[in-house]
């Protein structure tokens, strides 16, 4: 995914979230955008962080630990486990 595509994808997701919150009569801060980063390279996560994304979802412990180590310099990054935790 190119930088432009990632930027456009995040902007589109943010617009859809804002529209849904508004339609539901909720405040803009009533929900947060969680970017599913499983199987994505750390470089792409870094780019998303540079575009203002702070919350990322992983479901493979080994992959998450590698990315957390590589991206430890990113201030304010928040990791979530999503889906069933893999037993391996």
């Amino acid at each position: 995914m190119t930088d432009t595509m990632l930027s456009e994808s995040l902007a589109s997701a943010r617009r859809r979230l804002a529209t849904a919150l508004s339609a539901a009569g909720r405040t803009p801060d009533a929900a947060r955008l969680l970017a599913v980063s499983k199987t994505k390279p750390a470089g792409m996560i870094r780019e998303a962080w540079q575009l203002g994304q702070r919350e990322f979802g992983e479901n493979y412990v080994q992959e998450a630990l590698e990315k957390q180590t590589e991206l430890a310099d990113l201030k304010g990054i928040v990791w979530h486990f999503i889906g069933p935790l893999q037993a391996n």
Side-chain angles (χ1 to χ4, degrees):
M1 179 178 278
T2 67
D3 292 350
T4 302
M5 290 173 59
L6 180 58
S7 177
E8 290 172 1
S9 180
L10 279 171
S12 175
R14 290 174 179 146
R15 283 191 302 274
R16 292 191 317 270
L17 178 58
T19 298
L21 288 169
S22 177
R26 298 183 67 189
T27 62
D29 63 347
R32 298 183 313 260
L33 181 64
L34 176 64
V36 177
S37 54
K38 66 179 190 173
T39 74
K40 303 298 181 202
M44 182 180 282
I45 297 167
R46 184 176 295 279
E47 290 171 27
W49 183 89
Q50 290 170 340
L51 292 167
Q53 182 61 36
R54 293 297 182 263
E55 302 203 30
F56 298 89
E58 295 282 337
N59 73 334
Y60 295 106
V61 173
Q62 298 89 336
E63 186 177 341
L65 291 173
E66 288 176 20
K67 290 175 186 177
Q68 289 169 351
T69 299
E70 187 171 342
L71 301 170
D73 63 306
L74 301 182
K75 302 298 179 213
I77 195 167
V78 178
W79 297 99
H80 298 266
F81 280 105
I82 57 175
L85 188 60
Q86 302 299 313
N88 62 358

